Amino acid sequence: MTSLINSLPAEALTALRTGDDSLAAVLLSHEWRLFARASQMPPPGDWRIWLILAGRGFGKTRAGAEWVRGEIMRGASRVGLIAPTMADARDIMVRGESGLLSVCAETDTDENGALIGRPVFQPSLRRVVWRNGAAAMLFSAEEPERLRGPQHDRIWADELAAWRYLNAAWDMAMFGLRLGDRPRACVTTTPKPRKLLKELIADAGTVVTRGATFDNAANLAPAFLDAMRARYGDTALGRQELNAEMLEEAEGALWTREQLDALRSATPGDLRRIVVAVDPPAGAKTTSDACGIVAAGLRADGTAHVLADASLRSARPAVWAQRAVALYDSLEADLMLAEVNQGGDMVEAVIRQVRPDVALKKAHASRSKWLRAEPVSALYARERVTHARGLAELEDEMCAFTNNGLASGSSPDRLDALVWAISELIPPGRGEPRITGL
C-alpha cells in the first residue's frame, strides 16, 4: 500500500498532505489502480491479445479505455479504436461515461513526466488526439476496408462478437497492427459462439480474462441485479449476457436454446408420478462417460416437467448409485428407471445395495440415441414438456446433440437419461390427452 501511495501523482500527494480533500478527490478519481478489480488490470507477460470475455456491466469498457490510457502514457502513439458501428465508437469508446474522454485526466503524464493531459476529440477526422501527438483513430466493423492501410501499435476492439463483418474487419485490423516493438490489442466483448472468438481463445498469444455482471455488484444498483437474476437467471440470454458463458448451439440439433427458455417454469405442485432415470457409464475413469441421472414428473394434464439433473462424471458404481437413490428419496419418486445395456445385472445389484426396496425398472436400448430422442423432441415442440431452473449442463447437451452425436465425441448421457425419463412418463405414440363425454 505504501508503494502504491508513493507512486501517486505529485499533485495528489500534495493535496492530501495539505488537507485539500476536494482537490485530492478530483485527482485521485482518475487513479484507476485505486478502484480497479484485479480482473480489470492488464495481465503480466508477453501477450499479443488481451481478451476480456465478460457480462454486461462488468466494467469492460472502463478496462479497455484505461488500458488505452495507460498505453499512451507508456509511449504508444497510434491506436485503433474499433466498434460494431461508428456511433458505438464515438458514443461508447470515446464519449461514454467510461470512455476515453472520461477516464483520462488533465494531469496525465508520460513515462518521462511530460504532461500529455486529456485528449481532444476531433469528430470530423474520426480521431482522438493527445498533446504529445499520440492519436487514436475510430473505425467501424461495418467498413472493414477502412482498416486497410492504417498502421497501429495498439488496438482496442470493443464487442468483437457483435461485429457485422467479423472476419474481414479483424483480418484488416491485424494486418495493420505492426508498429513498435510490441504491438498489442485489447478485445472487450460479451462472448458469442463465433469461430474467430474460439480461435483467439485457443491462440497461445492470447490471455483471456473472464468475468460476470455480478463481479461488479458494488457499482451496480441492487434493484438492477435482482431484476436480472429474476428475469434472466437460468436463461440462455442471461448465461451469455450476464455470466459471459459462450453457449453452443449445433446446427441440426433437436432442441434450441430459445425453445428451452420458453419452456422453463416453476415446479408444479400437481405431479402425480415422478421418475428418476439413470444412464450408467461403462467405467469410472476420468475419461469415462458421465452417469446420467435425471428426474422428471408427470402432471395431471398429461404433460411432463423435468425436475433435476444429478449427473456426475468419473464416479464408481457405488457413488453414482448413492447419488441416484438420494435423488429418488428427496423427490419421493415412484420409479427408478435404469438402462442396463452397459452393466446388465450389475446395475440393478449396485442400486439395490444402496436401497434394496427401490422400485426399479430395467431398460434395454435397442435403437440409437438419436432415434430414441426424436419422439421426445417432438413432445417439446408440442410444449408437452417444461423445465425447472438449474438445468444448464443438461440443456447445453440437448442443444449440442445432432444425428452425429456431440461434437466433443462424448456420450450424451444427461440427454439419454432425460429421454428415458420422459419416454416412461409419456410413452411414444401416446396422443394428446382427451376429455371424453360424460
Side-chain angles (χ1 to χ4, degrees):
M1 179 61 72
T2 301
S3 60
L4 176 58
I5 293 174
N6 290 335
S7 68
L8 295 175
E11 296 90 339
L13 290 173
T14 300
L16 286 171
R17 289 166 183 154
T18 59
D20 192 342
D21 294 340
S22 59
L23 176 59
V26 172
L27 294 171
L28 293 177
S29 67
H30 289 280
E31 284 301 313
W32 178 231
R33 295 166 295 170
L34 297 178
F35 308 103
R37 303 188 304 279
S39 56
Q40 292 177 296
M41 296 298 290
D46 190 23
W47 46 268
R48 179 173 171 81
I49 307 292
W50 178 25
L51 176 57
I52 305 177
L53 296 175
R56 301 283 190 91
F58 166 85
K60 298 188 298 294
T61 303
R62 180 69 185 267
E66 291 283 2
W67 177 76
V68 171
R69 177 194 180 197
E71 293 300 294
I72 293 293
M73 295 171 72
R74 284 185 286 272
S77 60
R78 292 293 177 267
V79 180
L81 306 177
I82 313 172
T85 68
M86 186 58 69
D88 292 332
R90 179 192 66 227
D91 298 335
I92 298 174
M93 301 179 81
V94 176
R95 288 177 170 170
E97 62 183 29
S98 297
L100 280 173
L101 298 184
S102 296
V103 305
C104 293
E106 288 292 348
T107 55
D108 285 351
T109 59
D110 64 18
E111 291 184 312
N112 298 318
L115 185 67
I116 60 175
R118 179 181 284 113
V120 175
F121 182 36
Q122 300 174 333
S124 62
L125 298 177
R126 298 184 298 109
R127 71 181 184 186
V128 178
V129 180
W130 282 261
R131 296 178 193 177
N132 64 350
M137 295 292 299
L138 280 63
F139 298 92
S140 165
E142 293 183 320
E143 301 176 293
E145 289 301 309
R146 283 188 175 271
L147 285 158
R148 183 186 293 275
Q151 302 180 85
H152 304 104
D153 52 17
R154 301 291 185 273
I155 283 177
W156 173 20
D158 192 41
E159 292 300 346
L160 182 79
W163 288 9
R164 182 177 181 183
Y165 301 111
L166 176 56
N167 291 313
W170 180 258
D171 288 344
M172 291 299 102
M174 290 301 99
F175 285 137
L177 186 60
R178 55 180 184 254
L179 294 180
D181 296 332
R182 299 173 64 196
R184 289 179 157 186
C186 175
V187 178
T188 51
T189 187
T190 301
K192 293 181 181 179
R194 302 285 190 261
K195 182 174 182 290
L196 175 62
L197 205 52
K198 297 175 188 176
E199 291 173 351
L200 289 179
I201 293 172
D203 193 307
T206 300
V207 174
V208 181
T209 294
R210 298 179 184 272
T213 299
F214 307 103
D215 295 347
N216 195 28
N219 297 308
L220 299 172
F224 165 78
L225 296 173
D226 291 342
M228 292 301 99
R229 288 190 182 96
R231 177 67 178 85
Y232 301 105
D234 287 326
T235 67
L237 185 62
R239 292 176 62 194
Q240 173 181 283
E241 300 294 323
L242 300 177
N243 296 331
E245 296 181 43
M246 188 177 295
L247 304 180
E248 298 287 348
E249 188 167 284
E251 184 176 352
L254 289 174
W255 289 270
T256 67
R257 296 190 182 279
E258 182 179 6
Q259 175 192 37
L260 295 178
D261 281 349
L263 296 174
R264 191 170 290 106
S265 69
T267 297
D270 63 343
L271 296 178
R272 61 186 190 185
R273 188 173 184 232
I274 296 176
V275 172
V276 173
V278 183
D279 181 34
K285 298 179 181 179
T286 55
T287 56
S288 300
D289 295 329
C291 177
I293 305 173
V294 173
L298 184 69
R299 294 186 180 92
D301 63 1
T303 61
H305 183 73
V306 183
L307 293 158
D309 172 20
S311 305
L312 73 168
R313 185 176 295 279
S314 308
R316 293 178 290 106
V319 175
W320 61 250
Q322 289 172 354
R323 175 76 73 94
V325 170
L327 182 62
Y328 175 90
D329 287 341
S330 67
L331 295 175
E332 299 182 353
D334 302 283
L335 178 71
M336 183 177 292
L337 178 67
E339 181 182 314
V340 296
N341 288 53
Q342 296 285 1
D345 292 339
M346 181 277 292
V347 174
E348 179 179 7
V350 73
I351 292 174
R352 293 204 181 282
Q353 285 177 1
V354 179
R355 170 64 76 82
D357 61 346
V358 68
L360 182 67
K361 178 178 179 180
K362 294 184 286 186
H364 295 265
S366 58
R367 298 185 300 162
S368 71
K369 295 179 186 293
W370 173 266
L371 290 177
R372 283 185 281 122
E374 279 188 310
V376 173
S377 172
L379 293 174
Y380 277 81
R382 288 152 55 195
E383 299 183 358
R384 296 196 61 197
V385 184
T386 57
H387 275 205
R389 289 178 174 269
L391 301 173
E393 291 180 289
L394 170 62
E395 292 173 356
D396 287 348
E397 203 165 270
M398 295 170 71
C399 295
F401 181 68
T402 70
N403 59 359
N404 293 318
L406 298 176
S408 64
S410 301
S411 177
D413 300 291
R414 298 173 189 271
L415 170 60
D416 215 22
L418 168 79
V419 168
W420 282 119
I422 299 300
S423 298
E424 174 67 22
L425 294 171
I426 310 178
R430 178 187 291 179
E432 297 284 355
R434 298 179 180 178
I435 300 176
T436 58
L438 298 178

